[in-house]
Amino acid sequence: MRFGKKAALASIATAAALALSACGGGTSGGNSSGGAVNGAGKTLDVFIGKSTTFPQQQQQWMDDTAATFKKNTGADLKFETFSSGNDELTKIQTSAVSGQGPDIYALGTTFTPTAVATGAFAQLSDSDWNALGGKSKFNQSALGISGPDKDHLYAVPFSSRPFVMAYNKNLLKAAGIDKPPTTWNELEQDAKKVNDPSKGIYGMSVGYKDGFSPWKYIWAFSEQQGQKLVDGKNANIANDTVTNAYQTYFGWLTKDKVVDPASVGWTDSQALANFASGKSVFFPMTSISSEVTLDKSAIKDQYDYALMPTSINGSNPNGGTPVASILSGDNMGIASYTKNKDLALAFLKQVTDKDAQINYQKLFGDLPTNQEALATFGSAPHMAGVTDAAGKSYATPFTGAWADIQLALVNVVVQSIPDLSSGNVSDSNLSQRIKTAQNSAQQSLSRAK
Amino acid sequence: MTTASNPAPDTRLAASAASRGSGPAPAPDADGNNPEPGSGTRRGLSERNRPLWMLIPGGVLMIVVIVVPLVLGVYISFLDLDQYSLRQWLSAPFVGVANYIEAITQSGILRSVWLSVSYSALATIVTLPLGIAAAVATQNKYPGRALVRSIFLIPYVLPGFVVATVWRTMFQPSGVISITLHHMGIDPGLFLNGPNTYWVLVFVQIWSSWPFIYLLALSGLQSVDHEVHEAAALDGALWWTKLRYVIFPYLRGPISLAILIGMLNHINNFTLPFVLFGLPAPNDIEVLPYLTYATSFESFRFGLSAGMAVVSLILVAIPLFIYLRAVKLDDAETPGGRK
C-alpha cells in the first residue's frame, strides 16, 4: 500500500512535469530581462510564409538577412515558417493567448485586419516609425492596409503583389488590336474579337472555381462605381452595382461566351495554365508571381502585364475610385507581447531599406514597398504594368469582419457554378445568393469591435 | 459507462474489468464473501490489492489529452469567443446556451447533421455487402489470394488526402470521368459543384472505406473453427445455407463493430469533403465537420463552433453508447467473450 502511494505520487509528478514541459515548447530564446538596444545574446523570432516556388532562394535570403542582422545588432535572427494561412492563424491564436511566440509575423494584406482584431499586434507609434526609417520611405498607398486609418497603423508594409492582367501580345496583334484594354467594356470587346472557340482560342482565362479570386472582381467593380461594400458597420452587398458586377463576371461565360466553358472547374492556377498554353488572350486578376510559370511556358516571349480595367466605360460615376488592384502582398506586424521591440524595429528597418527591398524583388519577384526601390523597377521587362498597379492599389475595408465578407462574396460564385455550367445564372437565383451574402456579411459586421 | 446499481466495493472491480476490454476476463463474483476494506481474506487481497496505481500514468495522460480539452471545449461553447475576445479568452463574455440557440436556429446545423448522418449511413450500408463479399471471396485458399488481399487493402492504406486529391482530379469538368461519360453519350453535369456533390462524396467514401468492413469481416471468418465447416458439410448444407445460418452468426460481432466505427469515421470525416470540394463548400455537402471548421477558422466564431462540436460529440456518442451497452451485455452473459 505504502509503496503504491509513493509510486502514485511519483507518477503524477512525472506526468505533470511532462505535460508542463510540453506546454512550454515554443518560447523564443529571447532574454526576458530588458537591456540596451544592443542585442548581443538575444534572439529575434520571425514568422514568415514558406515559399514553395523559391525554397532555395528563401533559405539563402534568410541566411543573408540573419548575417546582416547579427552584424547590425549583435542579435541572432531565427526564422520560423508556416505553410498556410491556417497554420499562421493557429500560431497567432496560441501565441496571443499564451503571450509568447514569434516576435514578428508576416501578415498577408487581407488577413491583416483579422490579425489586428485579435489584439495580438501593437499599434506603431511615431517614434516606432522613425526607428524603422520613417513612414515617408514607403510607397504611400502601401500603407493603406496597415491599419484602419492613417493615424492608427499596426503593420509595416514589406512586399507588394498588385493584381494585374496578363495578356498575349501576339494574339492581340493578330486581331488588329495595338494596346491592351483599359475599361471593362473594351476588355469584353477585345476578348470577343480574338475569341475563336473552333480553334480552342478564347478571349479570357478565368478561374471561376477559385476559392479567393472572385471577390476581387466584385470589390473592384463596386469601388469603381462608387459603391463601398462596407460602410461603417453596414454591409452594402445587396444592391444593383454588386448584382451588375456578378452579372458581368458570369456574363463572360454565359452571354459573351469569351471564356472556355471548362473554366467552371478551374482554379486560378488552372486558368493560368490555360493562358500559358496560348489558348487565350487575357488572364485577368493575376500577379507577378505568375511570371515563374509564364517564363517557362510556350508563350514566354509573347506575354506582358497591363493594368486591370479601372472603369466600365472610361469614367467612375458616383465619386468612384479607379482602383486597379487590392493592396496585396505582405505586411509585418510586431507581436504586442514581444520583449524585443527594439530588435524588431531594427529588423523591420533592415528589410524595408532600399537595397534589401531591391534584392528581395530580384529573388522573389514581389515588388518593394520602399518608394525609392519601387521607382527603380518601372523599366524592367514585364514590370511597367505591375509598378503602375502598385501605385493604383487600394485597401480593402479594414475590419475584423472582412474574412467573413470575402467568404460570403466567393460563396455567391461557388453556389452559382452549377447554373453557370448550364449556361444561365437566373436573376432570381443570383439575387437570392446575394441576399445570403448580405446577411452573413452584415451579421459579421454587427459583431465587429 | 458502468451501471452504478450497487455502490458496493465490487463495482470498482467490475469497472476495472470492463475497462480492460474484451479479453477473457474472469467474471468478478463476490463469492459470498464480502471483502470489507482492510479485511484479510486471501482472495480479497489478491483482487483488491491489484496494482491499480499502475493505471495512473495512463489516467493522467487521458485527463490531460482528453478530459481537459473536452471540458475546455464545452466551456468555450458557453462563451462569446471570437477574434476580438481571443486574446483574453478567459474573460470572453459568458453567454450561456446562446451559441447553441444560434447554432440551431441560424447556422444550418440541423441540415448539416442530416447530411452527415444520411451520407454516413448510406456509405456504411453500401460498404457492408461489398466488404463481406470480398472477405468471403478471399477466405478459401487459391493461387494469388495473397495478391488479391493486398490489392483489396489499397484504398484503405492510402491517406484520405491522397484519395480525395486523385478523385477530385478525375471528377473535374474536363476530367477523365466526365469525358468517359460524355463519350458514352451521358451528360452527367458537374461533379464538384451542385447536387451531384453529395453522391460524389458518398461514392468516394465507399471507395475508400469498404476495405475496413472487409478486414473485420475477414477476421470474423478466420475465427470460424474448421469443425464447423466440416459439420455443415456433413449435414449437407449448400453454400448459401451454410453462409446464412452457419457463417454469418460468427460475423455478427466484428460486423457490428465495423458498422459502428465506420459510421463514426464517416460522420467525423473532414479531410475527404474538404479536399474534394474546397472552401466555401457547395451547399449540398456542407456536412457537420465542414460547418464547424468554417465557423471556427473562416469566421473565427470559436464559441459557436465549440457548440457545434459539442453537438457532433453528442451525435456520435449515441451509437457509441448503444454499442458499449451491447458489448457489456454480451460480456456478462458469456464470460470470455463470444468465440
Side-chain angles (χ1 to χ4, degrees), chain B residues 30 55 74 130 150 170 197-198 226 230 240 244 297:
Chain B
L55 291 173
V74 173
L130 284 178
S150 321
M170 293 200 287
T197 48
Y198 181 80
H226 190 61
E230 260 179 21
W240 171 247
R244 168 71 186 79
F297 297 107

Side-chain angles (χ1 to χ4, degrees), chain A residues 182-403:
Chain A
T182 57
T183 69
W184 294 106
N185 283 348
E186 278 175 28
L187 173 65
E188 195 181 303
Q189 285 154 15
D190 290 357
K192 276 182 184 162
K193 270 187 209 160
V194 184
N195 208 38
D196 191 354
S198 62
K199 287 186 191 156
I201 304 283
Y202 286 89
M204 291 190 240
S205 299
V206 180
Y208 282 109
K209 199 177 156 56
D210 198 79
F212 300 97
S213 206
W215 69 262
K216 294 172 200 148
Y217 289 92
I218 308 306
W219 173 84
F221 274 113
S222 305
E223 287 284 325
Q224 291 165 5
Q225 303 296 302
Q227 189 89 54
K228 299 270 177 207
L229 294 178
V230 176
D231 180 11
K233 281 254 176 189
N234 296 317
N236 200 359
I237 293 174
N239 57 50
D240 289 349
T241 309
V242 171
T243 309
N244 282 338
Y246 279 110
Q247 279 165 343
T248 309
Y249 181 65
F250 293 146
W252 296 331
L253 178 62
T254 56
K255 292 202 183 72
D256 311 324
K257 303 192 191 301
V258 292
V259 183
D260 189 330
S263 63
V264 292
W266 290 350
T267 60
D268 259 11
S269 55
Q270 286 165 295
L272 171 63
N274 179 262
F275 172 77
S277 64
K279 289 191 172 143
S280 75
V281 65
F282 298 116
F283 176 44
M285 216 52 98
T286 183
S287 77
I288 190 72
S289 33
S290 60
E291 199 180 28
V292 188
T293 310
L294 292 173
D295 276 344
K296 283 187 220 148
S297 74
I299 59 159
K300 63 172 185 259
D301 302 319
Q302 303 172 23
Y303 81 96
D304 205 345
Y305 296 109
L307 269 194
M308 287 286 292
T310 53
S311 68
I312 290 184
N313 52 17
S315 68
N316 298 104
N318 308 319
T321 320
V323 302
S325 167
I326 63 164
L327 267 179
S328 171
D330 287 314
N331 290 326
M332 290 212 180
I334 303 176
S336 48
Y337 53 73
T338 183
K339 290 166 180 119
N340 295 321
K341 191 165 178 190
D342 294 340
L343 285 177
L345 290 170
F347 170 78
L348 291 176
K349 176 172 185 335
Q350 180 190 326
V351 296
T352 54
D353 273 348
K354 183 183 167 192
D355 293 342
Q357 289 260 297
I358 291 176
N359 181 45
Y360 192 84
Q361 195 284 334
K362 287 185 175 139
L363 286 172
F364 302 101
D366 290 358
L367 283 187
T369 51
N370 181 299
Q371 182 62 46
E372 278 182 60
L374 182 63
T376 62
F377 285 105
S379 55
H382 299 312
M383 291 307 265
V386 185
T387 45
D388 198 5
K392 292 182 174 128
S393 300
Y394 291 85
T396 39
F398 201 92
T399 161
W402 182 250

Side-chain angles (χ1 to χ4, degrees), chain B residues 10-184:
Chain B
D10 61 1
T11 311
R12 216 169 46 175
L13 292 177
S16 66
S19 73
R20 267 193 285 129
S22 54
D29 56 343
D31 220 20
N33 282 336
N34 188 12
E36 289 272 309
S39 81
T41 62
R42 276 184 67 182
R43 189 192 172 94
L45 259 179
S46 66
E47 282 200 350
R48 291 202 42 74
N49 287 351
R50 272 175 308 180
L52 288 176
W53 56 268
M54 289 185 84
L55 291 173
I56 290 174
V60 170
L61 268 184
M62 213 170 108
I63 289 173
V64 171
V65 175
I66 298 177
V67 178
V68 171
L70 180 68
V71 171
L72 273 180
V74 173
Y75 179 62
I76 287 175
S77 73
F78 296 118
L79 299 179
D80 183 17
L81 185 65
D82 54 18
Q83 73 263 48
Y84 309 102
S85 48
L86 181 66
R87 196 162 140 64
Q88 267 94 33
W89 69 276
L90 276 174
S91 54
F94 189 88
V95 291
V97 293
N99 282 328
Y100 291 90
I101 294 172
E102 186 180 345
I104 287 168
T105 55
Q106 284 180 36
S107 75
I109 194 176
L110 294 178
R111 189 166 167 278
S112 289
V113 166
W114 160 243
L115 285 176
S116 279
V117 171
S118 66
Y119 126 82
S120 166
L122 265 177
T124 310
I125 290 168
V126 178
T127 49
L128 202 58
L130 284 178
I132 295 175
V136 171
T138 56
Q139 164 70 1
N140 293 327
K141 265 213 172 104
Y142 53 83
R145 183 180 70 161
L147 183 71
V148 174
R149 279 186 173 175
S150 321
I151 292 175
F152 279 176
L153 284 181
I154 288 177
Y156 188 63
V157 296
L158 285 176
F161 182 81
V162 176
V163 171
T165 310
V166 171
W167 281 107
R168 187 187 61 199
T169 313
M170 293 200 287
F171 273 121
Q172 273 177 5
S174 47
V176 63
I177 293 174
S178 295
I179 290 175
T180 313
L181 287 174
H182 190 74
H183 282 310
M184 291 161 65

Side-chain angles (χ1 to χ4, degrees), chain A residues 49-123:
Chain A
K50 197 176 193 64
S51 168
T52 48
T53 0
F54 305 105
Q56 283 147 359
Q57 287 92 326
Q58 191 178 35
Q59 191 54 51
Q60 188 60 45
W61 177 80
M62 288 179 187
D63 294 344
D64 295 348
T65 308
T68 315
F69 189 66
K70 179 99 181 166
K71 205 173 73 190
N72 291 349
T73 64
D76 289 316
L77 192 57
K78 182 177 116 193
F79 285 102
E80 289 182 72
T81 56
F82 56 88
S83 49
S84 71
N86 239 329
D87 264 15
E88 182 175 33
L89 184 67
T90 313
K91 187 84 174 182
I92 292 178
Q93 283 167 16
T94 49
S95 306
V97 171
S98 66
Q100 56 188 20
D103 301 296
I104 293 184
Y105 292 80
L107 306 166
T109 46
T110 53
F111 179 64
T112 302
T114 305
V116 168
T118 64
F121 297 94
Q123 192 181 321

